[in-house]
Amino acid sequence: MRSQTILFVGIVSLCSAKEYYDKLDRYLIACHTTDFVCFKRQYKALRDNVLLGNNILNIDYYDPYYFKYGNSGTCIKLSGLEESELVGISMDGAVGLFGLTLELPLRVQQVYNDTKLCAEPEREFTSVQTHNGSLKKFKGNATIQAIYPYEIRKKKGVIHMVLEEEDLEVILDIPHLIDYDMNNTEQLAVYNLSEWAYDILQHIDAAKSFALPYTSQYRTLAERVSIERLLLLYPEEEYTDVKFNFSDSYHFP
Ligand SMILES: *[C@@H]1O[C@H](CO)[C@@H](O)[C@H](O)[C@H]1NC(C)=O
Ligand SMILES: *[C@@H]1O[C@H](CO)[C@@H](O)[C@H](O)[C@H]1NC(C)=O
Ligand SMILES: *[C@@H]1O[C@H](CO)[C@@H](O)[C@H](O)[C@H]1NC(C)=O
Ligand SMILES: *[C@@H]1O[C@H](CO)[C@@H](O)[C@H](O)[C@H]1NC(C)=O
Ligand SMILES: *[C@@H]1O[C@H](CO)[C@@H](O)[C@H](O)[C@H]1NC(C)=O
Ligand SMILES: *[C@@H]1O[C@H](CO)[C@@H](O)[C@H](O)[C@H]1NC(C)=O
């Protein structure tokens, strides 16, 4: 009786382990160290299925950054990472650095605070009064570069890339539209919104509050899956001395 029970438990866990890997196989794409196109595809699959949250891997759901917009009773929602693309990836075993560069549309939107609790921005808005009129929104671009120090560790036959806290560089692209025709109402409105968005972004630490909550998800991913599920080696390569550096970003070479 007792041995039957143990056998039963064994079968159940075996089945769920198989299911676990079947599901992950659909979105964990492994790439060779020479294949930038594959890394771009890998990133997109990770973004949609893992970095924005994943129950199987126990990775928390990512939320855009909401912060309080003065006394207006409204908040600012900063988003766009959901649409980010990989434009650079690098790894250097000799110095132990792993780098990701992402480009994204940056959405700056004024929203009512009815569904989300809004954070306090790093620098408070002191002159924003009661909201009146329509909610504002602006779309710019952003580039984020994350460089993680790492170590390769082997534990019980499983190889992991252990990532430490990343160094972040964030470029928020809000065009300064100096050559706009101020006599044209439409162009003036776009100019005004761009100045508005620019001013808003002076109140926050975008690296810490906007980029880090997302880029840190990659650290959790590296803890949860073996590096072999993400990176394929050629026979002459070793995980400890991998070296590649691809980029098509014009901001960070
Ligand atoms: C890849 O090259 C860029 C430009 O030379 C450099 O800034 C970056 O640190 C390199 N990445 C790694 C992991 O060494
Ligand atoms: C919305 O803002 C009001 C006024 O600042 C505040 O009292 C309320 O707690 C906020 N609600 C949410 C869900 O953040
Ligand atoms: C909202 O703006 C309109 C026109 O600009 C003004 O007449 C009205 O008093 C304002 N309301 C509040 C609550 O500020
Ligand atoms: C954002 O980038 C896209 C694609 O590179 C470009 O077409 C667009 O004009 C940029 N938007 C702004 C506001 O700079
Ligand atoms: C805008 O209007 C002013 C006065 O009507 C005029 O002097 C100026 O040349 C105009 N600017 C442009 C760019 O059309
Ligand atoms: C643009 O901003 C100026 C100054 O803040 C304001 O007088 C004007 O009405 C605004 N125009 C539009 C179209 O938003």
Side-chain angles (χ1 to χ4, degrees):
M1 190 61 205
R2 191 181 167 80
S3 70
Q4 258 177 355
T5 312
I6 290 166
L7 189 67
F8 180 67
V9 170
I11 288 166
V12 167
S13 67
L14 227 140
C15 284
S16 65
K18 184 173 181 304
E19 199 178 310
Y20 174 96
Y21 282 115
D22 281 352
K23 282 204 178 132
L24 292 183
D25 278 340
R26 279 195 268 135
Y27 46 75
L28 289 184
I29 300 171
C31 299
H32 273 109
T33 53
T34 47
D35 196 346
F36 190 23
V37 175
C38 176
F39 282 125
K40 290 184 178 198
R41 215 157 24 91
Q42 175 191 66
Y43 173 74
K44 228 176 209 170
L46 287 176
R47 179 195 71 190
D48 294 342
N49 300 291
V50 177
L51 301 175
L52 293 173
N54 185 296
N55 286 329
I56 301 177
L57 293 173
N58 194 17
I59 293 180
D60 290 344
Y61 281 81
Y62 165 82
D63 256 337
Y65 179 39
Y66 288 85
F67 54 95
K68 214 173 151 213
Y69 187 36
N71 291 321
S72 63
T74 64
C75 300
I76 302 295
K77 174 185 177 186
L78 204 60
S79 61
L81 280 156
E82 309 75 14
E83 294 165 65
S84 54
E85 305 270 352
L86 183 83
V87 295
I89 185 165
S90 59
M91 197 165 163
D92 187 343
V95 290
L97 291 176
F98 171 67
L100 292 174
T101 309
L102 310 175
E103 272 178 18
L104 51 132
L106 180 72
R107 297 177 198 284
V108 185
Q109 266 174 282
Q110 185 183 15
V111 295
Y112 288 111
N113 75 345
D114 43 8
T115 53
K116 291 282 172 192
L117 210 67
C118 305
E120 289 293 336
E122 273 79 19
R123 285 171 285 283
E124 205 187 332
F125 293 89
T126 48
S127 59
V128 177
Q129 298 309 319
T130 311
H131 174 66
N132 192 358
S134 60
L135 296 172
K136 292 181 178 161
K137 64 177 171 197
F138 184 80
K139 189 174 137 192
N141 287 314
T143 309
I144 294 175
Q145 187 183 55
I147 305 262
Y148 308 77
Y150 78 90
E151 251 178 62
I152 298 294
R153 285 198 206 138
K154 195 166 179 174
K155 214 167 146 189
K156 292 182 187 152
V158 181
I159 308 173
H160 275 95
M161 174 168 67
V162 180
L163 298 175
E164 279 168 42
E165 185 155 332
E166 59 274 35
D167 208 25
L168 281 169
E169 259 190 78
V170 178
I171 294 175
L172 305 177
D173 238 344
I174 305 294
H176 188 48
L177 306 165
I178 36 178
D179 52 359
Y180 263 45
D181 176 4
M182 297 302 167
N183 293 345
N184 176 323
T185 329
E186 246 171 67
Q187 293 201 2
L188 180 60
V190 174
Y191 173 87
N192 278 4
L193 278 177
S194 144
E195 294 299 298
W196 170 77
Y198 183 83
D199 176 67
I200 297 266
L201 296 173
Q202 306 312 308
H203 291 263
I204 61 157
D205 179 343
K208 178 169 147 264
S209 304
F210 177 61
L212 186 64
Y214 180 79
T215 54
S216 68
Q217 301 275 76
Y218 207 99
R219 266 187 274 138
T220 314
L221 162 70
E223 269 170 37
R224 307 283 152 83
V225 307
S226 124
I227 189 171
E228 293 156 297
R229 296 191 65 97
L230 300 172
L231 190 62
L232 298 172
L233 299 184
Y234 290 110
E236 69 278 12
E237 291 179 318
E238 302 260 8
Y239 282 110
T240 45
D241 61 14
V242 168
K243 192 175 172 86
F244 58 85
N245 196 337
F246 302 109
S247 171
D248 52 24
S249 159
Y250 63 94
H251 281 124
F252 300 106

